[in-house]
Amino acid sequence: MNDKSVVKPWGGRFTEATDVFVEAFTASVEFDRRMYKQDIRGSIAHATMLSKVGVLTDDEKNSIIQGLDQVQAEIEAGEFEWSIALEDIHMNIESRLTKKIGDAGKKLHTGRSRNDQVATDMRLYLRDEIDEIAIELKRLQNALIDLAEREVNTILPGFTHLQVAQPISFGHHMLAWFENLQRDAERLQDCRKRVNVLPLGAAALAGTTYPIDRHFTAKLLEFEKVAENSLDAVSDRDFILEFCFVAAQVMTHLSRYSEELVLWVSQQFDFIEMGDSFCTGSSIMPQKKNPDVPELIRGKAGRTNGNLVAMLTLMKSQPFAYNKDNQEDKEPLFDSIDTLKASLRVFADMIPTVKVKRENMRAAAMKGFSTATDLADYLVKKGIPFRDSHEIVGKAVRYGIDNEKDLGEMSLGELQQFSAIIEEDIYLVLTPEGSCAARDHFGGTAPNQVEQAISRARQRIA
Ligand code: ARG
């Protein structure tokens, strides 16, 4: 890739060759070449616009487009020779184009700078990736709804402080995950709006002296808006920061779900089993089946969070407009994209392999006095003030701890020691099913509410 004979497109004012190590140090082609399609698409739009306003002839434009199509084919066939001496994707492609078509190739950069070119490429690239990520996100949401539907009537102990709190429907729990991701999907689309703005035409920073038609270029590239200010256009990376935040947020969500999955497959919880194809064994302990996929996702959230901080730090001291610092925006962004896409994909594939051990979940929900609030509510409904009933139930729980009995396992006589108001119907609310079914309002865990939430969720992502 290192070629001394390469003529630098900016070489005119230089008398000495670039230091070889500096050349490699300042080059970005190793990582920005993944934007080759967007770079070519942007150049075709730019050339088309230049010919429309009379800066290029039709022949020149056609020759540029043909040449760029050939360059793209070479790249895709793996025949393109990338050069570090040509620094980045932009100069690599332009130089190859000029070799192929001659002088017309040298005119492509008229009225343009790599500063607005790279900003355009990044926006086109990120827009494409956002659209793919949105599809993966929705696929995972659908998998969660399907699992929720299968397990509407499955009882899970709901936790606070990781202590058994109240029985809930496992379907309800899956829908909690769904809601996180629904907000993430909205955030992603909101971010896309600010990605979808054309910087091209800002040139180096001040605009250009040619009679360009930026709105025409925007239309060709399907940008919704044209950047209003040329300095802002070349120096703004907010759209990358926003995306890195969304990626970190989604990964943080996936990391929380992963943490729950890891707990649930453990021998201590034993709530679920995961497909063999998503687990791995141990090289020393033959009995092991480890939840490597969720563990790795939990770990990878560290990268996306780090990338967000890297981007914030990259931007915080830059004077306007473009600075070479901005070349450092690519690796964190690409890493966040790759990490997020792969994690969503594997998570969406893994969820349908989850087998719920319903008996174990229910048994766990029976522990830890999870229906204590139900007993308190029962007393309140019979006229006892909530604070008094809290006190009464607290005493019943104390008795249960001392005698190793859950509330639902106590006889009516035992319960009546704490309040004479308690009658036979108490057993309806002391079961986890009764407790769950009683939370029967919008957003509650009663199975019939969960069913309605499932059908609303399906409509919301339709
Ligand atoms: N490779 C550069 C980057 O990623 C392209 C823009 C270079 N512009 C410049 N004036 N050196 O930011």
Side-chain angles (χ1 to χ4, degrees):
M1 228 169 150
N2 224 321
D3 181 357
K4 282 258 154 63
S5 64
V6 167
V7 179
K8 305 248 195 281
W10 44 251
R13 63 104 67 215
F14 288 79
T15 51
E16 283 173 32
T18 321
D19 177 275
V20 177
F21 188 72
V22 169
E23 206 164 68
F25 184 74
T26 52
S28 54
V29 64
E30 298 274 18
F31 47 86
D32 65 16
R33 58 198 246 197
R34 66 156 78 192
M35 304 193 295
Y36 75 90
K37 262 192 214 155
Q38 290 75 17
D39 192 71
I40 288 174
R41 189 177 173 197
S43 288
I44 290 177
H46 181 63
T48 307
M49 183 279 289
L50 288 181
S51 83
K52 178 182 174 262
V53 301
V55 172
L56 291 180
T57 66
D58 261 8
D59 282 351
E60 286 167 337
K61 172 197 77 177
N62 291 335
S63 156
I64 287 172
I65 294 177
Q66 245 178 31
L68 286 171
D69 284 343
Q70 286 168 19
V71 172
Q72 179 157 346
E74 282 175 15
I75 295 172
E76 284 169 358
E79 288 160 4
F80 192 95
E81 279 184 36
W82 300 100
S83 158
I84 293 236
L86 286 170
E87 202 175 312
D88 56 27
I89 176 78
H90 323 295
M91 296 203 293
N92 267 268
I93 289 181
E94 189 190 314
S95 156
R96 179 74 189 123
L97 175 71
T98 302
K99 265 201 193 112
K100 284 176 105 59
I101 67 167
D103 279 355
K106 293 188 193 163
K107 294 190 179 181
L108 171 62
H109 213 51
T110 313
R112 179 175 84 169
S113 152
R114 276 185 298 151
N115 297 351
D116 57 346
Q117 184 179 3
V118 72
T120 304
D121 290 6
M122 293 289 278
R123 286 170 183 273
L124 287 172
Y125 183 83
L126 182 53
R127 191 179 69 184
D128 289 344
E129 293 288 357
I130 284 176
D131 293 342
E132 282 184 30
I133 289 164
I135 291 170
E136 284 301 318
L137 199 57
K138 194 184 258 194
R139 203 163 70 80
L140 173 54
Q141 286 184 289
N142 271 311
L144 293 175
I145 299 177
D146 290 344
L147 182 54
E149 193 158 51
R150 229 167 64 206
E151 306 295 340
V152 170
N153 292 303
T154 303
I155 298 289
L156 172 82
F159 296 94
T160 60
H161 315 271
L162 203 56
Q163 308 281 315
V164 171
Q166 290 170 352
I168 55 173
S169 147
F170 185 68
H172 194 54
H173 196 99
M174 289 301 99
L175 289 185
W177 291 8
F178 169 90
E179 288 301 326
N180 290 182
L181 297 175
Q182 184 61 9
R183 288 191 298 277
D184 291 338
E186 287 171 14
R187 271 188 276 270
L188 191 63
Q189 289 310 317
D190 201 53
C191 164
R192 191 186 190 281
K193 286 184 209 156
R194 281 173 293 278
V195 171
N196 206 15
V197 179
L198 174 82
L200 208 62
L205 75 165
T208 174
T209 55
Y210 299 95
I212 57 172
D213 182 349
R214 300 181 67 210
H215 291 90
F216 180 69
T217 314
K219 208 181 252 168
L220 294 176
L221 295 173
E222 297 168 273
F223 278 117
E224 262 170 61
K225 286 184 186 160
V226 176
E228 295 270 348
N229 179 292
S230 64
L231 261 76
D232 178 50
V234 288
S235 67
D236 167 41
R237 295 293 183 272
D238 298 2
F239 67 101
I240 296 177
L241 286 176
E242 268 190 81
F243 176 82
C244 285
F245 170 70
V246 175
Q249 174 67 83
V250 180
M251 287 300 295
T252 298
H253 283 147
L254 295 187
S255 180
R256 293 185 71 179
Y257 315 155
S258 294
E259 171 69 5
E260 296 202 315
L261 292 175
V262 170
L263 288 172
W264 293 345
V265 295
S266 71
Q267 285 76 15
Q268 286 70 24
F269 279 78
D270 201 17
F271 283 0
I272 62 166
E273 206 179 314
M274 271 174 5
D276 280 358
S277 50
F278 288 84
C279 297
T280 57
S282 156
S283 54
I284 178 169
M285 296 171 283
Q287 83 283 11
K288 289 283 249 180
K289 176 174 164 184
N290 296 328
D292 284 31
V293 170
E295 289 174 74
L296 203 49
I297 289 175
R298 193 175 60 191
K300 281 179 188 292
R303 282 175 183 254
T304 49
N305 294 359
N307 291 336
L308 172 61
V309 175
M311 279 304 306
L312 287 163
T313 312
L314 174 66
M315 297 312 296
K316 71 176 269 295
S317 305
Q318 284 194 48
F320 280 70
Y322 178 86
N323 302 284
K324 183 75 168 178
D325 311 40
N326 281 341
Q327 185 164 291
E328 286 290 309
D329 62 359
K330 287 166 198 62
E331 287 161 294
L333 173 65
F334 296 158
D335 186 61
S336 282
I337 289 171
D338 295 345
T339 303
L340 178 59
K341 236 164 64 172
S343 302
L344 282 171
R345 178 184 163 171
V346 75
F347 218 96
D349 288 343
M350 181 176 65
I351 288 297
T353 76
V354 168
K355 271 207 212 81
V356 176
K357 298 183 171 176
R358 295 176 184 152
E359 302 299 304
N360 294 358
M361 276 191 189
R362 187 179 188 284
M366 301 283 286
K367 288 184 200 152
F369 305 95
S370 66
T371 53
T373 316
D374 298 270
L375 176 54
D377 289 345
Y378 173 93
L379 296 173
V380 168
K381 282 173 197 158
K382 300 226 165 181
I384 297 180
F386 184 77
R387 277 294 155 230
D388 292 342
S389 82
H390 191 285
E391 177 72 19
I392 292 168
V393 178
K395 293 210 165 94
V397 167
R398 186 67 253 166
Y399 174 85
I401 294 168
D402 293 343
N403 294 278
E404 288 177 27
K405 270 185 188 175
D406 194 71
L407 294 171
E409 291 166 345
M410 294 178 195
S411 70
L412 189 58
E414 279 175 305
L415 287 167
Q416 283 171 340
Q417 303 173 72
F418 307 104
S419 168
I421 264 176
I422 298 174
E423 290 168 79
E424 191 65 36
D425 61 352
I426 188 62
Y427 293 104
L428 291 175
V429 307
L430 290 187
T431 61
E433 286 78 10
S435 165
C436 216
R439 282 151 174 85
D440 187 10
H441 53 76
F442 188 96
T445 190
N448 86 82
Q449 292 292 342
V450 176
E451 271 162 20
Q452 291 172 46
I454 286 170
S455 67
R456 285 197 304 272
R458 288 208 192 281
Q459 280 169 13
R460 285 159 68 202
I461 62 165

